[in-house]
Amino acid sequence: MKKALTSVLLLAAFTLFAQKGSVKGYIYDKANGEGVAFATVKIEGTDVGAATDEQGFFNIPNLAVGPYKVVVSYI
């Protein structure tokens, strides 16, 4: 019984973790192909977002799986 309960708890934990995803990407200047450093990338309608790094890459982790609209701004 103890092994069965442990298996069920582990299965439940993996199921919860499986419902998370992330949005990763690369923002670049179409004119010259260079990455845009420190642009703001947000999920529309939320306060969730990230800034690009020096090369233009970003990662927004721990999102529920589903479709999102991403908004990029740069000054």
Side-chain angles (χ1 to χ4, degrees):
M1 178 68 180
K2 195 173 191 180
K3 285 185 181 182
L5 180 59
T6 303
S7 298
V8 170
L9 290 176
L10 287 175
L11 181 60
F14 288 129
T15 302
L16 290 174
F17 290 123
Q19 301 303 314
K20 295 290 182 177
S22 64
V23 175
K24 298 177 183 182
Y26 175 68
I27 307 299
Y28 66 95
D29 184 337
K30 189 174 180 179
N32 60 20
E34 293 180 8
V36 177
F38 311 113
T40 302
V41 182
K42 293 186 80 174
I43 303 298
E44 185 175 68
T46 71
D47 291 331
V48 178
T52 59
D53 64 13
E54 294 85 6
Q55 289 82 36
F57 293 95
F58 71 92
N59 180 27
I60 304 173
N62 299 320
L63 295 172
V65 175
Y68 293 100
K69 186 170 184 180
V70 177
V71 180
V72 178
S73 60
Y74 183 73
I75 297 176

